[in-house]
Amino acid sequence: MPKLVIDGTEIEVEDGITLIQACEEAGVEIPRFCYHERLSIAGNCRMCLVEVVGAPKPVASCAMGVNDLRPGRDGEPPEIRTNSETVKKAREGVMEFLLINHPLDCPICDQGGECDLQDQAMAYGVDGSRFVENKRAVEDKNIGPLIKTIMTRCIHCTRCVRFMTEIAGVEELGMTGRGEDVEITTYLEQGMMSEMSGNVIDLCPVGALTSKPYAFAARPWELRKTESIDVMDAVGSNIRVDTRGREVMRILPRNNDDVNEEWISDKTRFVWDGLRTQRLDRPYVRIRGKLKPATWNDAFAAIARKVKGKKGAKLAAIAGDLAGAEDMYALKDLMTRLGCANIDCRQDGALIDPAMGRASYLFNSGLAGVEEADAILLVGCDPRREASVLNARLRRRWRAGTLKVGLIGPEADLTYQHEYIGAGPQTLSSLASGKHAFFKTLKAAKHPMIIVGSGVLARGDGAAILAQAAKLADAAGVVKRGWNGFNVLHHAASRVAGLDIGFLPGKSGLDTAGILKAAKAGKLDALFLLGADEIDMGSLGKTFVVYIGTHGDAGAHRADVILPAAAYTEKSSIYVNTEGRPQMTDRAVFPPGDAREDWAILRALSAELGVPLEYDSLAELRSAMFDDHRHLALIDEIQDGDDLDLKKLGAGSARLGKQPFTRTITDYYLTNPIARASAIMAEVSAMKTGLGKTGTDG
Amino acid sequence: MSVRRLDPVQPESFKFSATNLKWAREQMKKFPKGRQASAVIPLLWRAQEQHDGWLPEPAIRAVAEMLDMAYIRVYEIATFYTMFNLSPVGKYFVQLCGTTPCWLRGANDLKDVCRRVIGDQQQVTEDGMFSWLEVECLGACTNAPMVQINKDYYEDLTAESFEQLLEDLRAGKEVTLGPQNGRQFSAPEGGATTLLNGTGKAGNSGGAKRKRSGAKTKSATGRGGK
């Protein structure tokens, strides 16, 4: 534990950290451009210069280890000055050099107002420049539909290059040329093929890389910032929704070390234009085969005509991938009051049985648990597409060394090395019986991990696959004292909450497959879809369909009555992520037009149907929900799961199929109604499919 | 120096010749397993030699694939090092040293010759014989001013001797490597000035091993063809 004197204050710091970190611990701010705590150290911007007493020159504090400083002549701790005349002069000099080739186009720059260079030039620079020659100009690069480049502004900090290489794991950005002619580019200006690429916009300390869809749309100081949660996948990335008036202008990540660190995927970041288009902003009722705009009362009356007084067994409800916990709780409540047990939150048909305990469907080790793992088996899942942020974590763990990854399922470019074990259930069962070499790897590992993709559970033999995985976990000792490495990776944001509150078939109730079958056979009077668009609408027959949702997607096209609801940025709602962490979104904007929050729609509908729900406000609904499901009240805390009974889980008698696993997500950019409504997502999707599957496709 | 970009006209593909491929594989073996990327510069260099002295875009990809590197990583290297020519060069590629010692000794005159005889920098003459590039110090300051043509140095030049040299090359005549003013290596001009009294004869000590000074060669190209 070396001791340092920083600006006259003695401080003891950890071994192995750098001077810039030590200064931060001492509460001293050091300006920087190239240094970033989650990236490797480059030391090329020189902005973080400090004075080390006794050293002949100023020292780049980001690249100097505290252990490398020598004590003074009489053994006194090394002294660092950050407020001396030398440091001031050094910073002014560096800043003057940085600004030599930087254009003075702040008034038309999208980074203006949140620009590190602007802020630091104000704080540490001087007002003039002695440079009278011509400034350099650099051609802008086209690197895809998401990132706009104005390369003349680039100060060559290489944060973007390091991010793409180290975190995203797609070596596409590079620095070409040398000296004054250095440029940041992709190879021959190809578009970036990573689903994490948008993060370079946040990393860029200047306005060289900005958001293309957001270009010239707003200034940071005129945006209202709302902290919220993302629902594009089941990771539950923490986001900040920036709005102006009634529109979401952009989405940025928030830091949460346990969930998404400070990254978000491109889908999370750029889906916002989908919140404006294809929106359902008024109720519709189908009259003589055509959907006609209607009032809420007409719509409710139309539903009441079909539902009121009908047998509960002839009703059904399916919840979609983006439904909040409150919405599902209210719908479940309503259906129960109507005497209906045919409800299911697993629109993909995943055969997850919550009777086995909550631990049987959670990412039990926690997302951060990946950091400890030393052997990971991926069963039919592609974390890069199903949970991009988690994949970045897996990659970092792999980069740290000694991580062995095995993959069963369709071969995929995961951005890290992995052993391809096999394609389907047979490989899994041979692994479970200890026949495959990777079994030994798992068995020998201190913190082994199995990640089962929720996609494989949606197969006909899903239960058997989960049982096999449990058997393997049991045999390989994946669950042990203080470590539970048996993980299910969901890809739908609503799924865990749905399972938690039991939005599942009741006694003799039908599940999704059963509901669809009954609908096709004409045995259902009415079907409620709570934002469920991923089911086969063609098999609903002549059933009366009520669609409660946000976008004119598959469900709305088929619906007989459409009730317009609120998207995730328009309501406060609880989502439980794949590791079982309840997180709450916040309302950033109001729903468009006549659209209302889902729970309020259900409350109003319940009164029309003569079975009023017992809560008149969101707070009352929440307190009822929390009474039933205590853990949902513990926002951002993972409730310790019940002990996972692998023996019981593995004892299933279901038969394994022979079909190899297939991709759960075929088009990463178009997985839900919001993304499908987004022009940006469509453009990226087209770019990537247009270039063919090259192994780096996302 | 200016921004280095790939030539707009590129060949369809690039393939190492059988001998070069064998050589390249041997280079790769010099490095420990997983560190094959270290061979990137020798391979690029050999690719350039094979491809008439310049490095085409398909070669960058070919080398990247051989070494299991991302294209952009090899591209970075090819654009960083000025010894890789990214656009076609003449049969005789003149690299003219313009750094201080050569400049003091008249490199500007040589540049004038280049402009007159060859044309602008990095432009290949119509007959494909010449192109030229001003480079930084080539380490032959004692014999300034000098140029490097393909692999050989031509030193102690004057505007006249340099122009003659270019004409001779164009005509396919034999040319003298090294100093063009009769000087032996970097020994004093006009013969020895010290150790004259029998302890050693001037010029006896160094050059016998390597016949550089005064050696005649038919074609001054040492490029390619390995």
Side-chain angles (χ1 to χ4, degrees):
Chain A
M1 296 277 278
K3 276 191 184 144
L4 304 168
V5 178
I6 297 175
D7 291 343
T9 321
E10 190 170 303
I11 176 176
E12 199 169 335
V13 296
E14 273 173 68
D15 276 307
I17 67 170
T18 56
L19 261 187
I20 202 168
Q21 290 168 315
C23 288
E24 249 161 39
E25 273 180 39
V28 180
E29 193 195 50
I30 306 284
R32 84 285 301 269
F33 294 111
C34 72
Y35 175 76
H36 191 278
E37 48 278 33
R38 298 192 202 274
L39 302 174
S40 65
I41 292 165
N44 54 5
C45 76
R46 313 312 287 178
M47 196 59 210
C48 64
L49 293 176
V50 296
E51 184 186 355
V52 176
V53 175
K57 298 188 287 179
V59 168
S61 60
C62 71
M64 172 64 87
V66 288
N67 301 71
D68 297 334
L69 296 172
R70 281 192 306 188
R73 196 167 298 168
D74 305 317
E76 70 268 21
E79 193 182 341
I80 289 111
R81 292 183 191 148
T82 68
N83 49 10
S84 64
E85 200 48 42
T86 317
V87 175
K88 185 168 179 288
K89 215 175 139 198
R91 285 174 182 168
E92 286 172 359
V94 168
M95 185 55 81
E96 195 177 346
F97 270 116
L98 284 173
L99 292 176
I100 273 180
N101 276 321
H102 192 81
L104 294 175
D105 61 352
C106 302
I108 56 150
C109 176
D110 262 331
Q111 193 87 350
E114 49 185 2
C115 173
D116 288 358
L117 188 62
Q118 209 176 30
D119 296 348
Q120 292 181 30
M122 288 298 291
Y124 305 105
V126 284
D127 59 351
S129 170
R130 286 166 284 178
F131 186 73
V132 291
E133 289 79 4
N134 286 332
K135 281 177 183 254
R136 170 188 96 121
V138 183
E139 289 153 330
D140 294 341
K141 311 287 184 292
N142 178 11
I143 54 174
L146 300 179
I147 298 161
K148 181 182 167 183
T149 64
I150 300 103
M151 294 321 265
T152 306
R153 295 180 188 147
C154 178
I155 59 167
H156 310 131
C157 68
T158 69
R159 273 188 189 178
C160 52
V161 177
R162 282 175 283 147
F163 173 82
M164 291 304 285
T165 308
E166 292 161 15
I167 312 250
V170 181
E171 284 188 84
E172 284 182 335
L173 273 182
M175 186 157 79
T176 66
R178 60 151 76 183
E180 201 201 20
D181 300 318
V182 155
E183 293 184 0
I184 302 286
T185 183
T186 54
Y187 188 69
L188 306 183
E189 291 196 33
Q190 284 161 349
M192 290 215 275
M193 285 298 174
S194 166
E195 46 299 291
M196 297 281 283
S197 64
N199 291 300
V200 300
I201 298 168
D202 294 340
L203 285 170
C204 185
V206 297
L209 305 176
T210 54
S211 169
K212 209 177 235 179
Y214 171 71
F216 307 130
R219 283 298 193 185
W221 54 82
E222 57 187 16
L223 297 172
R224 206 157 47 86
K225 295 145 182 92
T226 312
E227 301 199 336
S228 191
I229 300 299
D230 171 58
V231 299
M232 293 298 121
D233 54 31
V235 171
S237 298
N238 291 204
I239 55 170
R240 194 185 91 193
V241 182
D242 284 7
T243 54
R244 189 180 57 189
R246 297 198 65 163
E247 279 189 332
V248 176
M249 301 304 290
R250 61 173 179 179
I251 293 171
L252 297 176
R254 269 189 304 137
N255 194 56
N256 186 338
D257 278 348
D258 291 332
V259 181
N260 58 319
E261 299 174 273
E262 63 189 82
W263 320 123
I264 51 174
S265 68
D266 286 356
K267 191 159 57 175
T268 304
R269 183 185 299 267
F270 293 107
V271 80
W272 49 264
D273 75 324
L275 292 166
R276 301 176 184 173
T277 45
Q278 295 275 352
R279 283 307 296 270
L280 302 171
D281 55 358
R282 57 167 70 176
Y284 286 86
V285 176
R286 193 178 291 275
I287 300 167
R288 283 188 290 280
K290 284 219 157 146
L291 280 170
K292 294 266 164 64
T295 62
W296 278 103
N297 286 337
D298 292 347
F300 284 154
I303 298 170
R305 272 199 300 280
K306 290 281 182 181
V307 174
K308 217 166 171 180
K310 293 282 162 59
K311 258 198 230 131
K314 299 195 84 180
L315 303 174
I318 299 175
D321 290 349
L322 308 180
E326 292 89 348
D327 312 336
M328 286 186 284
Y329 182 81
L331 182 55
K332 182 190 174 191
D333 201 353
L334 173 64
M335 298 314 283
T336 314
R337 278 161 202 268
L338 291 170
C340 165
N342 308 327
I343 58 173
D344 203 341
C345 65
R346 305 160 299 183
Q347 63 165 338
D348 57 352
L351 298 170
I352 298 166
D353 186 1
M356 293 291 184
R358 198 165 177 248
S360 71
Y361 61 83
L362 289 185
F363 202 95
N364 290 304
S365 69
L367 298 172
V370 168
E371 315 280 340
E372 288 172 60
D374 42 9
I376 297 178
L377 175 69
L378 302 171
V379 181
C381 84
D382 176 359
R384 187 168 166 194
R385 274 113 198 143
E386 288 166 42
S388 309
V389 176
L390 170 68
N391 201 52
R393 217 185 259 270
L394 283 164
R395 175 172 161 81
R396 187 178 58 207
R397 174 66 193 85
W398 171 78
R399 269 169 63 84
T402 69
L403 174 68
K404 292 197 178 74
V405 182
L407 171 67
I408 303 178
E411 180 59 300
D413 176 10
L414 297 173
T415 72
Y416 39 87
Q417 237 171 37
H418 57 271
E419 188 185 334
Y420 185 68
I421 299 175
Q426 267 57 45
T427 318
L428 182 63
S429 65
S430 88
L431 205 56
S433 53
K435 276 182 210 146
H436 194 282
F438 199 80
F439 179 80
K440 283 200 192 79
T441 312
L442 274 179
K443 181 115 189 158
K446 215 165 153 208
H447 293 118
M449 188 184 272
I450 295 177
I451 303 179
V452 183
S454 58
V456 297
L457 305 179
R459 290 157 50 107
D461 57 349
I465 292 168
L466 190 64
Q468 280 295 335
K471 223 160 115 186
L472 169 61
D474 193 25
V478 166
V479 181
K480 46 182 113 177
R481 224 183 133 97
W483 174 255
N484 186 344
F486 186 76
N487 297 327
V488 176
L489 179 62
H490 292 274
H491 63 275
S494 71
R495 197 71 82 247
V496 174
L499 295 166
D500 279 356
I501 64 167
F503 197 93
L504 295 155
K507 212 171 165 207
S508 72
L510 300 169
D511 62 1
T512 301
I515 292 170
L516 293 181
K517 213 169 143 193
K520 195 164 193 179
K523 286 183 190 155
L524 285 185
D525 285 335
L527 170 62
F528 290 87
L529 298 179
L530 184 64
D533 290 281
E534 259 70 36
I535 52 173
D536 178 15
M537 298 297 165
S539 70
L540 293 184
K542 291 201 165 67
T543 313
F544 180 77
V545 176
V546 179
Y547 181 76
I548 307 165
T550 56
H551 283 72
D553 208 64
H557 284 293
R558 171 60 188 80
D560 294 290
V561 175
I562 295 173
L563 303 177
Y568 70 109
T569 50
E570 295 152 8
K571 61 186 173 192
S572 174
S573 194
I574 291 173
Y575 289 89
V576 185
N577 80 352
T578 189
E579 52 179 348
R581 181 192 302 272
Q583 300 184 106
M584 204 188 285
T585 63
D586 203 350
R587 181 164 64 205
V589 287
F590 285 96
D594 287 341
R596 294 287 179 272
E597 290 178 36
D598 308 48
W599 78 267
I601 296 171
L602 293 163
R603 171 66 186 79
L605 179 61
S606 70
E608 290 289 325
L609 299 179
V611 282
L613 300 174
E614 281 163 8
Y615 21 82
D616 295 326
S617 71
L618 187 58
E620 287 174 43
L621 161 57
R622 281 214 176 113
S623 82
M625 185 170 78
F626 293 157
D627 281 346
D628 289 351
H629 310 284
R630 293 217 147 268
H631 69 278
L632 293 179
L634 303 169
I635 296 296
D636 203 29
E637 277 177 46
I638 300 178
Q639 178 85 322
D640 279 340
D642 30 8
D643 283 341
L644 180 58
D645 192 346
L646 285 174
K647 289 244 170 359
K648 198 171 137 204
L649 191 58
S653 58
R655 276 169 60 97
L656 275 179
K658 283 208 164 53
Q659 289 290 317
F661 299 145
T662 51
R663 279 179 195 277
T664 310
I665 292 180
T666 44
D667 194 333
Y668 166 75
Y669 294 97
L670 304 174
T671 48
N672 61 54
I674 305 179
R676 283 192 289 268
S678 158
I680 305 170
M681 289 297 111
E683 202 178 337
V684 194
S685 168
M687 178 184 91
K688 299 208 172 167
T689 44
L691 284 171
K693 303 287 179 196
T694 57
T696 50
D697 60 291
Chain B
M1 221 188 69
S2 57
V3 179
R4 290 159 52 78
R5 291 279 160 80
L6 295 175
D7 196 66
V9 184
Q10 293 285 346
E12 281 284 299
S13 62
F14 175 87
K15 227 176 135 184
F16 272 119
S17 67
T19 27
N20 282 344
L21 191 66
K22 191 166 160 243
W23 177 88
R25 299 235 176 272
E26 269 161 30
Q27 294 300 307
M28 286 160 69
K29 274 189 215 144
K30 287 183 180 173
F31 304 100
K33 213 174 157 224
R35 299 270 183 262
Q36 76 289 347
S38 301
V40 64
I41 288 182
L43 260 62
L44 282 175
W45 184 243
R46 185 54 70 99
Q48 169 161 310
E49 282 183 341
Q50 184 184 314
H51 195 265
D52 297 334
W54 70 286
L55 196 62
E57 188 269 328
I60 292 176
R61 278 187 284 129
V63 169
E65 275 156 24
M66 267 180 87
L67 300 176
D68 201 15
M69 293 169 79
Y71 294 162
I72 184 74
R73 293 283 99 86
V74 183
Y75 183 54
E76 282 175 331
I77 293 164
T79 53
F80 183 88
Y81 290 104
T82 48
M83 66 181 194
F84 295 119
N85 299 312
L86 302 179
S87 46
V89 293
K91 182 179 170 199
Y92 297 107
F93 176 51
V94 180
Q95 298 182 68
L96 190 150
C97 172
T99 310
T100 319
C102 282
W103 173 68
L104 283 169
R105 298 273 293 158
N108 277 354
D109 297 342
L110 303 188
K111 279 193 230 168
D112 288 339
V113 172
C114 280
R115 281 189 209 106
R116 198 170 64 243
V117 177
I118 303 174
D120 285 341
Q121 272 198 59
Q122 290 181 291
Q123 296 293 315
V124 184
T125 51
E126 260 175 43
D127 56 4
M129 293 297 268
F130 292 108
S131 65
W132 74 283
L133 180 72
E134 182 183 339
V135 296
E136 299 306 324
C137 185
L138 289 169
C141 312
T142 331
N143 298 65
M146 59 81 66
V147 300
Q148 180 184 352
I149 299 180
N150 294 344
K151 284 188 167 175
D152 299 309
Y153 278 15
Y154 299 86
E155 301 154 322
D156 294 318
L157 294 162
T158 59
E160 294 73 37
S161 64
F162 181 45
E163 192 166 350
Q164 186 59 46
L165 175 69
L166 294 178
E167 292 309 327
D168 287 351
L169 285 171
R170 197 196 293 273
K173 289 190 194 156
E174 285 190 8
V175 293
T176 310
L177 302 182
Q180 301 294 307
N181 61 353
R183 181 180 174 188
Q184 188 178 29
F185 305 131
S186 50
E189 250 179 276
T193 56
T194 55
L195 304 174
L196 297 171
N197 50 2
T199 46
K201 280 180 185 167
N204 223 7
S205 48
K209 286 176 200 159
R210 288 183 60 207
K211 284 198 174 159
R212 182 155 151 254
S213 180
K216 293 277 182 182
T217 174
K218 200 159 196 168
S219 73
T221 56
R223 177 202 305 152
K226 286 211 170 172

